Amino acid sequence: MGLKLLRGETSRPISPYCQPVPMGMAFTILRAGPPAFDCLRATGGAVDGPGEDLRSPADAAMDRYAGGDDAAFSTLYDLLAPRLYGYFVRQTRGADLADDLTQQTFIKIHRARGQFLPGAAVAPWAFAIGRRLLIDMLRRRRREVAPSEGEDVLDRTASEAPSADDLVQAQETARRLQAALLRLPASQRVAFELVKQDGLTFVEAAEALGTTVAAVKLRAHRAYETLREVVGDLLNKEGSPKT
Amino acid sequence: MKLPAELKAHVLAAAARESSPDRRRVSRQLGTAWLVAATTTVAIFLLVGGMRAAERPLTFVLGTAGGWVGISLLATTTSARRGSMIGRPRIFLLLTAVATPVALCVWYIAFAEVSGHRLGPAVPTSAALRCAIVSSALAAGPFAVMMRSRLATDPAHPRATGASLGAVAGAWSGVMMDLHCEQTDVLHVALGHVGPALLLALVGALLGERLLGMHAEA
């Protein structure tokens, strides 16, 4: 099959071929273009459906929790933790740090619950907290995050591949994309990941990053264009795409 | 990627170990704090003499104070009112912190010019210092409560938030000083009535990171 699926139909549900690949980026970028990135979301395990379907229950759960319903914290965790954890894993390439940061983020939310504004969106706030904690922790440990070399936590999600060749090729593509993503300026990479992988809207990502919507759009678009060029180069090396 | 199964249990257990006030309790606490702050501020204002037009025409007093109320309201809306949990963009907050004191001065001079009121002669710096102290005292309570209301909730730009809150508190105390102090010398107004807004913005910026920020624990 090789990269046929990359150039092929946009069938749903997302091909299982998509799953074994870290980040799953190549497929989505080529297939769907900027607005979709469904495969990315699915591979990240963060969102099971459209972002809006998930965000509203999280906001409602946070509102209930802020209002004194302690049980809503568990619901909030179920709705937010996968996305936050995925974000931390991608940023740190380490499950231990991701565990710690996820826990700290939820404790911060817990402590500040009484100050949560009625009707406010919890996801941008949670991601902004997570980002702050991540920066603090990385500064503290003075550790440069290195590109993953095959032992990425994301690889743990790998399941049955259609064939060894397909898997190797797809992993190679994804690895190069991952490397390209890591080479992007931090501002572009974070904007891209928040919007395309964590399912935040541009408005939410802008809030989380403390910048404007226009800036987030520009950064994410530039990141997307860079990654598309990388995928295009890879395809050209493999031969002309089939239509 | 899969979440570690035990992580949720850890998070819930950690949250259960640490009590946190819900929204109703926080609202009560803040309501009480606002009441105390407002009472203290009004008491200080009355103790130092309250509103005194003295030799200033009432229209001039109301005009300058009215304009300052407008500027303070605008600053409050653009920065002190959050809108979302992240608050306003950093640039808004920094602009508020810097532009509010400038706008207060500009309005004062412009209104005097337009209304034909001749600004007063220079007064000793000690008078400006007295006004600055009184103005800072008037702003202290509201500033403290505003900082308390944002305690450990700003992950994005706590310094800018602190600065804007200081400027807002200082602007409102400037309004009271304008109603109280009969001096109309521009330098006196800038140092004694408007200066504290800039000073509190600086204090807010310095305290913001520590008080408003959300930092990783060791």
Side-chain angles (χ1 to χ4, degrees):
Chain A
M1 278 173 80
L3 288 173
K4 278 181 188 171
L5 273 177
L6 294 176
R7 308 160 189 141
E9 295 80 26
T10 58
S11 59
R12 285 176 184 271
I14 294 160
S15 165
Y17 181 64
C18 203
Q19 292 175 0
V21 182
M23 309 301 288
M25 220 168 292
F27 311 101
T28 313
I29 290 169
L30 280 180
R31 195 192 65 193
F37 295 91
D38 295 334
C39 180
L40 260 181
R41 292 183 181 185
T43 317
V47 183
D48 294 320
E52 287 73 15
D53 294 344
L54 191 130
R55 276 189 293 274
S56 293
D59 294 344
M62 185 65 216
D63 256 338
R64 287 202 309 277
Y65 187 54
D69 177 5
D70 289 346
F73 192 54
S74 175
T75 310
L76 183 69
Y77 178 92
D78 291 337
L79 293 167
L80 275 185
R83 300 164 74 185
L84 279 170
Y85 185 75
Y87 170 72
F88 290 135
V89 166
R90 279 194 304 278
Q91 299 299 320
T92 64
R93 320 290 157 197
D96 288 346
L97 269 181
D99 286 2
D100 194 18
L101 288 166
T102 304
Q103 182 164 340
Q104 281 204 40
T105 303
F106 275 95
I107 292 302
K108 297 283 183 193
I109 291 171
H110 163 72
R111 284 176 188 160
R113 69 166 169 162
Q115 286 140 296
F116 188 78
L117 294 174
V122 68
W125 186 48
F127 273 93
I129 295 170
R131 186 165 170 266
R132 180 72 258 164
L133 299 181
L134 175 69
I135 291 168
D136 284 352
M137 192 163 281
L138 291 177
R139 274 184 189 158
R140 192 169 292 155
R141 297 190 176 208
R142 296 185 184 281
R143 191 172 75 186
E144 194 63 37
V145 177
S148 58
E149 289 293 339
E151 56 180 15
D152 196 295
V153 175
L154 293 161
D155 288 346
R156 284 196 235 150
T157 57
S159 58
E160 304 78 31
S163 76
D165 283 350
D166 290 343
L167 182 57
V168 168
Q169 200 164 24
Q171 282 183 330
E172 178 59 23
T173 305
R175 192 163 288 130
R176 288 190 189 188
L177 271 173
Q178 176 78 352
L181 188 63
L182 290 169
R183 280 198 302 273
L184 289 172
S187 60
Q188 289 181 23
R189 178 167 49 81
V190 172
F192 178 85
E193 288 176 340
L194 286 178
V195 173
K196 305 301 183 190
Q197 294 179 265
D198 297 315
L200 268 65
T201 63
F202 284 118
V203 175
E204 289 175 334
E207 283 190 25
L209 296 172
T211 186
T212 61
V213 175
V216 171
K217 281 182 179 172
L218 186 66
R219 292 172 192 173
H221 180 72
R222 282 181 177 163
Y224 165 78
E225 288 297 327
T226 305
L227 296 176
R228 199 173 67 164
E229 280 173 21
V230 171
V231 175
D233 290 346
L234 289 172
L235 281 181
N236 288 337
K237 285 178 187 172
E238 295 294 330
S240 307
K242 294 174 185 176
T243 52
Chain B
M1 87 206 55
K2 284 182 184 171
L3 270 172
E6 68 281 5
L7 184 58
K8 182 175 181 180
H10 286 161
V11 170
L12 295 183
R17 277 195 301 273
E18 197 174 321
S19 71
S20 70
D22 62 18
R23 193 182 279 148
R24 198 174 305 155
R25 205 169 129 201
V26 169
S27 295
R28 270 203 305 270
Q29 289 171 351
L30 285 176
T32 307
W34 269 119
L35 194 65
V36 171
T39 307
T40 309
T41 302
V42 171
I44 293 171
F45 183 64
L46 294 176
L47 273 175
V48 295
M51 184 178 162
R52 293 185 306 187
E55 292 175 5
R56 297 177 294 171
L58 190 61
T59 51
F60 177 74
V61 176
L62 293 179
T64 52
W68 283 20
V69 165
I71 292 166
S72 303
L73 274 174
L74 188 65
T76 307
T77 308
T78 55
S79 66
R81 280 177 62 88
R82 275 186 286 185
S84 77
M85 284 308 292
I86 307 292
R88 307 288 183 193
R90 181 181 284 117
I91 187 72
F92 270 53
L93 301 173
L94 291 177
L95 264 177
T96 301
V98 175
T100 301
V102 174
L104 295 176
C105 284
V106 168
W107 174 263
Y108 197 87
I109 295 167
F111 188 79
E113 190 71 30
V114 169
S115 64
H117 181 82
R118 205 170 155 196
L119 294 176
V123 290
T125 317
S126 58
L129 183 66
R130 177 199 170 270
C131 280
I133 291 170
V134 173
S135 184
S136 300
L138 289 170
F143 178 54
V145 179
M146 283 194 280
M147 292 290 275
R148 167 66 185 83
S149 70
R150 303 285 190 87
L151 198 65
T153 58
D154 191 337
H157 29 56
R159 280 199 195 98
T161 301
S164 70
L165 293 182
V168 166
W172 283 110
S173 72
V175 172
M176 299 181 90
M177 284 312 297
D178 190 51
L179 292 171
H180 164 71
C181 179
E182 68 272 23
Q183 302 295 343
T184 57
D185 170 39
V186 173
L187 188 63
H188 174 86
V189 170
L191 292 177
H193 304 184
V194 177
L198 213 51
L199 183 72
L200 285 171
L202 194 64
V203 171
L206 291 173
L207 295 178
E209 189 75 49
R210 181 177 289 267
L211 295 180
L212 311 182
M214 304 177 90
H215 292 287
E217 288 153 24

